[in-house]
Amino acid sequence: MNLEELIATEELCERYSVEHTFIRSLNNSGLIEVITVEKREYVHCDNMANFEKLLRLHFDLDINLEGLEAIKHLLDRQNKLKEENLALRNRLGLYE
C-alpha cells in the first residue's frame, strides 16, 4: 500500500473539526477502515467520499452511530439490487 494514498486521521480531525473518537467509532462499527502503519492511523483516499457522507449524516442530520450503520446497510443493499437489476436487464436484452 502506497502512503501517498493514505490520509492521516490527525489530518482528518483537523480538516473536518472532529474528535479522533468519532473516527475510531466509525472504524469499530465497520463503517470505515482505518489502517495502522508504524503506529500512525490512516484512512485510504478511496474511503473519503464515504467518510464525508457519514460525517454529514452524523453532524448535519444528528444521526447516531446505530443510525449510520442502518443507513450504510440500506445503501449497500440498494447498490447491490441496482447491480442485479442491470445484470438481469443485460441478460434479457440477449433474448429480445
Side-chain angles (χ1 to χ4, degrees), residues 37-53:
V37 177
E38 297 178 10
K39 297 183 181 180
R40 289 192 69 192
E41 294 180 334
Y42 298 91
V43 175
H44 196 276
C45 62
D46 291 344
N47 292 327
M48 286 307 300
N50 187 35
F51 172 75
E52 290 175 346
K53 184 187 304 181

Side-chain angles (χ1 to χ4, degrees), residues 53-67:
K53 184 187 304 181
L54 293 169
L55 187 72
R56 285 191 308 273
L57 288 171
H58 180 69
F59 289 106
D60 294 349
L61 299 178
D62 200 29
I63 297 175
N64 63 12
L65 190 61
E66 292 80 13

Side-chain angles (χ1 to χ4, degrees), residues 4 6 12 18 21 24 27-29 36 42 51 58 65-67 71 78 81 88:
E4 293 175 358
L6 302 176
L12 292 177
V18 297
T21 54
R24 189 169 287 134
N27 180 50
N28 290 340
S29 63
T36 304
Y42 298 91
F51 172 75
H58 180 69
L65 190 61
E66 292 80 13
I71 289 170
Q78 179 187 23
L81 289 171
L88 290 171

Side-chain angles (χ1 to χ4, degrees), residues 64-77:
N64 63 12
L65 190 61
E66 292 80 13
L68 293 176
E69 291 172 4
I71 289 170
K72 181 159 183 348
H73 172 74
L74 291 172
L75 289 173
D76 289 346
R77 180 76 176 132

